[in-house]
Amino acid sequence: MFGPRFWRFGRMIDLGAEMQRLQSEMNRLFSGYIPAHGHEFPAINVWVGKADAIVTAELPGVDPKKIDISVVADTLTLSGSREKDVLKEGETYHRQERSYGSYTRTLQIPFEVDVSKVDAKYEKGVLRITLPRSEEAKPKKISIKSE
Amino acid sequence: MADEKKELQRKETRGSVETERTRNRRVYVPKTDIYETKDAIVLVADMPGVDEKSVDITLEKNVLTITGAVEPDTYKDHSIAYYEYDSGDYQRAFTISDEVDREKIEASVSQGVLRVTLPKAEPVKAKKISIKTG
C-alpha cells in the first residue's frame, strides 16, 4: 500500500501521538460536538468543570476595553470589533491575511451561570472567561438511604 | 502590482521546517500582513498565546523565520465541551532581499500580535530628485 515514497517524507509526524489525537477527535465528533474550524471569528473553546465553565477565545490585537461580554442566565455573548491597521499615504500592502471587522458570538453554557461572579481576563491575545455555576445548577450528591 | 516589488519576495521557504522539531506539538502558520512604508517593510503576524519571551526571530542568510511557542491550555478537573481551535506552536519563514538593513530589524509583541520592522537599506530608499531649471 505504501510504497517507499511514503516513507521518504522529510518530516514524519509522530504516528502514536497523531493517532491518539485522531482518536480523541473522533470521540468528540461522536459525542455530538462538531468542530467548526475556520468559520467563525473569534474561535472559541469551552471547558466544563464541576464548579464552572471556562470559555477561551483567540482574539489577538484587540483592545480589551472594547470587548463586550454579556451573560444572561446561560447565554454568553461576545462582541466587539477588530480594527484594521490604517496605512498612511504611500504605504501599500504586499500581503493581507489577518481579518478585521466586527464580530458577535453567542454561546449557550450547559448550566445556569452565577452572573455576579463571572470573571474575564485578556492575556497574550487570548480571552479567558470563567463562568461559575449558579447555586441551583451545582451538582448535588444524593445519598442513598439504607433501610 | 505588488508582485513587481522586489523588497520582499513572496516565496515562502520551508527553511528550517525541513528539520524535525524536538517539541511534539502541532505547528501553525500565523496569519500575516505585510506592508511597505517609505522606510521599511512591516510584518504583522497574529500569534495568540505568545509573548515576547516565547517568540524567536532568526535571520539566516536571507530567510527570516518567526517561531512562537504556546503553552497548551489545560484546566484541572475540566473537560473540553466544545472546541473550534487547537493551540499549537507557530512557525513561518519569509525570504527577504538584500535591500533590508539587517542590523536595524526591530520586533515587538503585544496582545498576541508580532510586529517586525525591516528597515530598508540606505541606497534603496526612494530619493526625490529635484529638477534644476536653467
Side-chain angles (χ1 to χ4, degrees):
Chain A
M1 191 180 155
F2 301 124
R5 239 155 200 262
F6 179 80
W7 303 107
R8 237 184 269 162
F9 270 116
R11 270 173 83 218
M12 223 22 231
I13 34 173
D14 184 328
L15 276 179
E18 195 64 13
M19 283 310 261
Q20 226 165 40
R21 194 190 58 77
L22 202 70
Q23 192 186 16
S24 63
E25 214 151 277
M26 281 311 239
N27 285 345
R28 276 183 215 160
L29 207 69
F30 287 116
S31 62
Y33 299 110
I34 298 153
H37 285 299
H39 295 297
E40 309 268 6
F41 181 87
I44 282 172
N45 282 354
V46 182
W47 303 74
V48 174
K50 274 187 182 143
D52 54 14
I54 298 166
V55 175
T56 61
E58 288 195 318
L59 266 169
V62 162
D63 182 354
K65 283 177 204 141
K66 288 182 182 160
I67 305 172
D68 264 348
I69 302 163
S70 69
V71 185
V72 179
D74 63 347
T75 309
L76 168 77
T77 308
L78 252 178
S79 61
S81 80
R82 201 167 176 238
E83 303 298 323
K84 189 185 174 186
D85 281 359
V86 181
L87 294 195
K88 290 184 208 105
E89 221 188 298
E91 300 182 350
T92 49
Y93 269 111
H94 287 211
R95 188 191 277 269
Q96 202 173 3
E97 298 168 354
R98 300 164 70 228
S99 48
Y100 58 89
S102 57
Y103 59 86
T104 308
R105 300 270 347 236
T106 306
L107 274 184
Q108 196 178 9
I109 309 298
F111 48 78
E112 193 117 329
V113 174
D114 186 346
V115 180
S116 61
K117 288 184 187 148
V118 175
D119 181 55
K121 266 189 202 133
Y122 182 73
E123 226 180 17
K124 301 182 205 171
V126 179
L127 177 70
R128 270 188 190 83
I129 311 168
T130 311
L131 304 137
R133 278 177 199 260
S134 69
E135 217 39 64
E136 299 85 66
K138 276 192 182 142
K140 285 180 189 80
K141 204 174 173 182
I142 294 148
S143 53
I144 302 161
K145 285 175 202 156
S146 57
E147 302 258 317
Chain B
M1 235 180 74
D3 292 318
E4 290 160 16
K5 292 201 169 67
K6 279 186 184 170
E7 279 75 24
L8 204 136
Q9 295 157 22
R10 284 190 173 217
K11 195 180 138 212
E12 282 173 52
T13 56
R14 304 198 72 197
S16 53
V17 183
E18 293 279 352
T19 56
E20 259 187 89
R21 295 160 51 85
T22 51
R23 268 160 74 98
N24 185 22
R25 301 276 328 264
R26 315 202 97 203
V27 184
Y28 293 97
V29 176
K31 283 191 178 170
T32 308
D33 282 356
I34 296 168
Y35 61 87
E36 186 180 342
T37 67
K38 197 155 55 66
D39 313 307
I41 287 154
V42 183
L43 199 145
V44 186
D46 276 349
M47 298 165 86
V50 304
D51 57 16
E52 62 283 353
K53 286 173 214 133
S54 55
V55 169
D56 259 331
I57 302 166
T58 53
L59 180 65
E60 204 185 328
K61 286 177 188 155
N62 62 343
V63 178
L64 180 87
T65 309
I66 50 177
T67 49
V70 178
E71 286 309 312
D73 270 347
T74 44
Y75 301 101
K76 223 179 149 193
D77 302 324
H78 283 71
S79 58
I80 191 144
Y82 175 74
Y83 84 114
E84 289 176 349
Y85 70 89
D86 204 359
S87 59
D89 293 348
Y90 298 99
Q91 183 159 22
R92 196 159 181 180
F94 295 95
T95 308
I96 60 166
S97 74
D98 299 329
E99 289 150 359
V100 163
D101 189 343
R102 278 142 198 271
E103 303 301 312
K104 289 182 188 152
I105 296 175
E106 276 175 29
S108 66
V109 179
S110 98
Q111 295 169 337
V113 178
L114 170 73
R115 226 164 250 278
V116 186
T117 309
L118 308 156
K120 289 182 194 170
E122 280 304 323
V124 185
K125 279 186 194 171
K127 279 190 195 102
K128 199 171 177 180
I129 296 152
S130 54
I131 299 160
K132 282 174 200 158
T133 49

